[in-house]
């Protein structure tokens, strides 16, 4: 479990640096705005492209891909319906909350945990591939429709969706992966350099957002939603993955453990970037990311102990 702690520690340190920079006002009043736009429009699209294009579909297309996809979509839909019925939130806030409840931190936590805790980096590929090629485009399309200005005509929403840089990058990366084509290195070098800025910029921006704010404030009116989203992410999601692995796909104890640990990863920081970009659900995104990142290690240790006992 040292790899789990190592992965979380790196995240906490960079968020802490962002918080410190915000307290010192090193980036000025528009620091968070600039970092989040850098992430959304430039760094994250290049990261999506490099990650998806390098994936080998035949390695990811297995039971773990279907477990990751079914579990994530089930949690997404369940939270979306629950938020509409119980919290009466707008479509944009419901979508962000659903993303926070079902989208795992497959990038900067999934990879190191796959290496150090599970022993094989390719084990992070199924859930990362599903999220980047299916969940991200779907969620962004929903956000485009929910926050559309000047009406919600199909043509306008469709254009904003297909012109979204992260969706374009996902589609191009998926095509490169399917046809196993890699652009010349002279093209890939600047893309890879920009991709390397995505996670640090994302975490720094998140740290900046914590300055002057207190998570789970009663006055926000979002405490119940944050707890429901966090419980869904750290408990419901991995339990559903476990049920699918054990009873539907009949995987052995090792396969069940992999499915559960990958599903128990905390909420991805890019959910906050998306919420900030669209100006919807910022509080629930920020608080859920923070809460699940803090509680992620105890949750994983608990599931590891439970699986060991059951096995």
């Amino acid at each position: 479990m040292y790899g789990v702690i190592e992965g979380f520690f790196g995240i906490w340190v960079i968020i802490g640096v962002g918080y410190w920079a915000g307290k010192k006002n090193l980036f000025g009043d528009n620091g968070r705005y600039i970092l989040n736009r850098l992430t959304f429009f430039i760094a994250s699209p290049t990261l999506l492209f490099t990650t998806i294009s390098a994936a080998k579909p035949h390695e990811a297309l297995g039971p773990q891909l279907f477990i990751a996809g079914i579990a994530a979509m089930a949690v997404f839909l369940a939270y979306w319906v629950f938020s509409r019925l119980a919290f009466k939130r707008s479509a944009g806030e419901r979508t962000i909350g659903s993303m926070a409840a079902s989208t795992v931190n497959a990038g900067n936590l999934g990879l190191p945990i796959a290496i150090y805790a599970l022993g094989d980096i390719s084990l992070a590929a199924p859930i990362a591939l599903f999220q980047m090629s299916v969940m991200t485009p779907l969620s962004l399309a929903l956000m485009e429709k929910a926050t559309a200005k000047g009406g919600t005509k199909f043509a306008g929403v469709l254009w904003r969706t297909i012109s979204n840089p992260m969706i374009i990058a996902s589609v191009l990366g998926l095509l490169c992966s399917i046809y196993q084509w890699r652009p010349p290195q002279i093209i890939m070098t600047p893309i890879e350099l920009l991709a390397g800025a995505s996670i640090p910029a994302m975490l720094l921006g998140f740290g900046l957002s914590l300055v002057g704010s207190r998570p789970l404030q009663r006055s926000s009116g979002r405490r119940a939603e944050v707890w429901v989203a966090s419980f869904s992410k750290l408990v419901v999601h991995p339990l559903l993955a476990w049920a699918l692995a054990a009873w539907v796909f009949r995987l052995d104890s090792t396969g069940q453990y992999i499915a559960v640990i990958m599903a128990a990863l905390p909420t991805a920081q890019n959910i906050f970037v998306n919420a900030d970009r669209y100006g919807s659900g910022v509080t629930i995104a920020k608080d859920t990311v923070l809460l699940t990142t803090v509680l992620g290690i105890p949750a994983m240790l608990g599931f590891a102990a439970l699986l060991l006992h059951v096995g």
Side-chain angles (χ1 to χ4, degrees), residues 52-296:
I52 296 176
S53 64
K56 297 179 180 178
H58 66 276
E59 292 182 358
L61 296 177
Q64 294 292 349
L65 176 66
F66 293 101
I67 292 169
I70 295 170
M73 290 305 300
V75 174
F76 182 99
L77 292 172
Y79 185 92
W80 201 92
V81 173
F82 185 81
S83 179
R84 179 174 185 176
L85 297 176
F87 302 127
K88 311 297 184 183
R89 297 306 180 195
S90 66
E93 290 180 312
R94 292 199 301 271
T95 301
I96 290 295
S98 299
M99 293 166 70
S102 61
T103 306
V104 308
N105 194 332
N108 50 334
L109 263 181
L111 296 179
I113 286 176
I115 296 172
Y116 297 113
L118 303 177
D120 185 355
I121 192 172
S122 67
L123 296 177
I127 196 164
L129 186 62
F130 175 78
Q131 286 190 169
M132 293 180 179
S133 60
V134 178
M135 284 200 75
T136 295
L138 174 63
S139 299
L140 293 177
L142 290 174
M143 289 305 297
E144 290 288 351
K145 184 177 187 304
T147 60
K149 296 179 180 179
T152 57
K153 291 183 179 180
F154 177 78
V157 173
L158 178 62
W159 170 248
R160 284 188 293 273
T161 301
I162 62 176
S163 62
N164 186 299
M166 288 206 281
I167 293 179
I168 293 172
S170 298
V171 172
L172 292 176
L174 192 59
L175 290 174
C176 289
S177 174
I178 292 172
Y179 292 102
Q180 288 295 286
W181 181 77
R182 178 181 172 84
Q185 190 57 44
I186 192 171
I187 296 176
M188 287 302 298
T189 294
I191 292 177
E192 290 168 349
L193 287 171
L194 288 170
S198 177
I199 292 172
M202 194 182 301
L203 294 174
L204 287 171
F206 184 74
L208 286 174
S209 74
L210 298 178
V211 177
S213 68
R214 294 175 57 190
L216 298 173
Q217 284 185 300
R218 187 182 299 275
S219 60
S220 71
R222 299 293 191 274
R223 292 175 71 178
E225 293 167 78
V226 172
W227 280 111
V228 170
S230 299
F231 183 80
S232 299
K233 178 77 262 334
L234 296 179
V235 179
V236 177
H237 193 177
L239 284 177
L240 183 54
W242 187 9
L244 289 168
W247 299 324
V248 177
F249 292 91
R250 303 287 183 179
L251 299 185
D252 59 16
S253 58
T254 301
Q256 294 175 35
Y257 178 70
I258 292 167
V260 169
I261 294 300
M262 287 291 101
L265 289 166
T267 302
Q269 279 86 11
N270 68 296
I271 304 306
F272 167 72
V273 173
N274 295 338
D276 198 56
R277 163 69 180 87
Y278 290 102
S280 182
V282 174
T283 298
I284 186 173
K286 179 173 60 179
D287 287 2
T288 305
V289 167
L290 183 62
L291 194 60
T292 56
T293 301
V294 170
L295 298 178

